[in-house]
């Protein structure tokens, strides 16, 4: 239970105005429900403990009408009205400064940053970086089954449905790393379908975005060159793209700058040389039923070379 105290994925630790409104709505409804609960328990206790001759007033029809009908109608109507008011504000947060398309796939996230005309500026995966204090519109869909996009510290959840595009807009008002999760059961590895939203200062975001449009850096050491050659020779480019190389696959995540991401496998493991080697060798053990096969045929030296090459792609 103490894992919830990390606050990296908590609706009770809002990092933006939309999440703050949702959090306040939650606390308001919790408080209203708690007050009604306390009142009902108190009246129940009175009915049990107080002698009958001293609690005749409980049988008064006016008490029943007030406590059983009028009070619930007033409280629930007030909470409903407040909830609708908050929901209306969530739907009209302002003109977006940036549009990002997120496609849910089993079991990872394809992320496309769009330009002003709606074209794709660059593609990444499982990690979304945004500038703070700017409304960001998310266009959400799915390539296979129903998923649900949820970053609790930034906004509410929204379903991702095949053949349909749902959209909503939210922003972050302070830099930080916010964890998100698929909130709709989507198959065996649903629990390992996470993502990170990294909120950055606008200048830092523009620097990062400009770097993402560039092709991958060419290897500069023998180990990195060997890793690149092994990556291509073992057919990794049939599923993955590494811009600047012959790898042009679009089935799996774009790996052009994978070394600069916080995690691999959609939040399954942190990104480093050791986890990259383990992932390549034992994908089906670490995350069974994903489309990527395990490359158990590779020797340790080959795995280390491929992992070093991928880690260098920042």
């Amino acid at each position: 239970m103490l894992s919830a105290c990390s606050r990296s994925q908590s609706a009770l630790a809002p990092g933006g105005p939309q999440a703050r409104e949702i959090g306040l709505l939650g606390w308001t409804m919790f408080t209203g429900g708690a007050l009604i609960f306390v009142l009902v328990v108190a009246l129940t206790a009175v009915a049990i403990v107080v002698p009958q001759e001293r609690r005749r007033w409980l049988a008064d029809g006016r008490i029943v009408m007030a406590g059983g009908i009028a009070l619930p109608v007033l409280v629930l109507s007030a909470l409903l009205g407040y909830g609708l008011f908050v929901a209306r504000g969530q739907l009209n947060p302002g003109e977006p400064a940036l549009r990002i398309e997120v496609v849910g796939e089993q079991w990872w996230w394809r992320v496309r940053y769009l330009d002003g005309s709606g074209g794709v500026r660059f593609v990444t995966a499982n990690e979304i970086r945004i500038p703070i204090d700017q409304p960001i519109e998310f266009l959400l869909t799915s390539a296979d089954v129903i998923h649900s996009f949820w970053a609790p510290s930034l906004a509410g959840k929204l379903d991702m449905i095949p053949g349909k595009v749902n959209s909503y807009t939210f922003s972050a008002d302070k830099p930080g790393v916010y964890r998100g999760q698929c909130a709709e059961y989507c198959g065996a590895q649903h629990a390992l379908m996470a993502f990170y939203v990294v909120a950055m200062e606008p200048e830092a975001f523009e620097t990062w975005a400009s770097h993402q449009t560039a092709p991958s850096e060419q290897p500069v050491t023998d180990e990195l060159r060997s890793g690149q050659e092994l990556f291509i020779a073992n057919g990794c480019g049939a599923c993955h793209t590494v811009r600047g190389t012959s790898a042009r696959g679009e089935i799996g995540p774009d790996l052009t700058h994978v070394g600069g991401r916080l995690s691999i496998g959609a939040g399954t493991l942190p990104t480093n040389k050791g986890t990259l080697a383990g992932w390549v060798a034992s994908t089906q053990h670490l995350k069974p039923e994903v489309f990527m096969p395990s490359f158990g045929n590779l020797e340790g030296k080959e795995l280390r070379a491929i992992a070093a090459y991928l880690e260098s792609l920042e």
Side-chain angles (χ1 to χ4, degrees):
M1 293 176 64
L2 291 177
S3 62
C5 297
S6 68
R7 301 172 70 84
S8 64
Q9 185 178 316
S10 173
L12 302 180
Q18 287 76 28
R20 197 166 291 110
E21 290 179 356
I22 293 173
L24 181 59
L25 173 63
W27 281 115
T28 300
M29 291 194 168
F30 175 80
T31 302
L35 291 175
I36 293 175
F37 175 77
V38 169
L39 176 61
V40 171
V41 170
L43 291 175
T44 302
V46 169
I48 295 173
V49 175
V50 176
Q52 182 175 0
E53 61 274 9
R54 296 178 57 187
R55 53 180 169 83
R56 296 182 183 278
W57 56 274
L58 283 175
D60 192 321
R62 290 172 297 179
I63 296 295
V64 175
M65 293 291 292
I69 298 178
L71 181 62
V73 167
L74 289 174
V75 172
L76 294 177
S77 296
L79 292 175
L80 175 62
Y82 177 57
L84 293 174
F85 174 77
V86 171
R88 182 180 180 183
Q90 296 279 315
L91 296 175
N92 299 284
E95 184 66 23
L98 176 67
R99 287 184 170 86
I100 302 173
E101 181 186 58
V102 182
V103 182
E105 305 197 23
Q106 290 178 307
W107 289 271
W108 61 285
W109 312 86
R110 191 186 300 272
V111 183
R112 298 188 180 104
Y113 285 74
L114 307 181
D115 58 25
S117 63
V120 178
R121 186 180 177 191
F122 60 87
V123 181
T124 182
N126 301 323
E127 185 173 298
I128 304 167
R129 301 204 176 206
I130 61 174
I132 63 170
D133 297 325
Q134 296 183 22
I136 313 298
E137 183 179 20
F138 288 83
L139 307 174
L140 308 176
T141 188
S142 171
D144 36 53
V145 300
I146 296 177
H147 301 281
S148 184
F149 185 87
W150 188 32
S153 294
L154 294 175
K157 65 184 70 171
L158 189 62
D159 279 353
M160 309 168 82
I161 301 171
K164 178 179 175 60
V165 177
N166 289 329
S167 67
Y168 71 153
T169 303
F170 63 79
S171 62
D173 55 17
K174 54 185 177 183
V177 178
Y178 305 94
R179 191 176 188 274
Q181 181 73 41
C182 178
E184 179 80 24
Y185 181 74
C186 54
Q189 298 304 318
H190 164 68
L192 295 181
M193 188 174 172
F195 63 92
Y196 290 96
V197 179
V198 182
M200 312 169 69
E201 295 289 348
E203 297 80 8
F205 171 79
E206 287 302 328
T207 300
W208 172 84
S210 296
H211 179 66
Q212 293 297 303
T213 62
S216 62
E217 296 183 4
Q218 293 303 307
V220 295
T221 68
D222 290 341
E223 182 184 40
L224 297 182
R225 281 190 285 270
S226 174
Q228 184 186 65
E229 292 170 0
L230 287 165
F231 181 87
I232 300 298
N234 281 276
C236 303
C239 294
H240 298 285
T241 291
V242 178
R243 282 179 281 115
T245 73
S246 60
R248 288 288 184 267
E250 297 183 354
I251 298 174
D254 187 304
L255 302 181
T256 304
H257 298 290
V258 64
R261 297 172 194 161
L262 296 176
S263 73
I264 58 174
T268 303
L269 296 168
T271 304
N272 58 56
K273 187 175 179 180
T275 57
L276 285 164
W279 178 261
V280 173
S282 304
T283 313
Q284 289 299 318
H285 173 72
L286 296 169
K287 199 167 180 178
E289 298 185 29
V290 295
F291 290 151
M292 179 175 169
S294 296
F295 287 82
N297 60 303
L298 296 172
E299 298 180 357
K301 183 178 180 180
E302 295 173 321
L303 285 170
R304 288 191 294 273
I306 293 175
Y309 169 65
L310 293 174
E311 187 183 37
S312 73
L313 300 178
E314 297 184 350

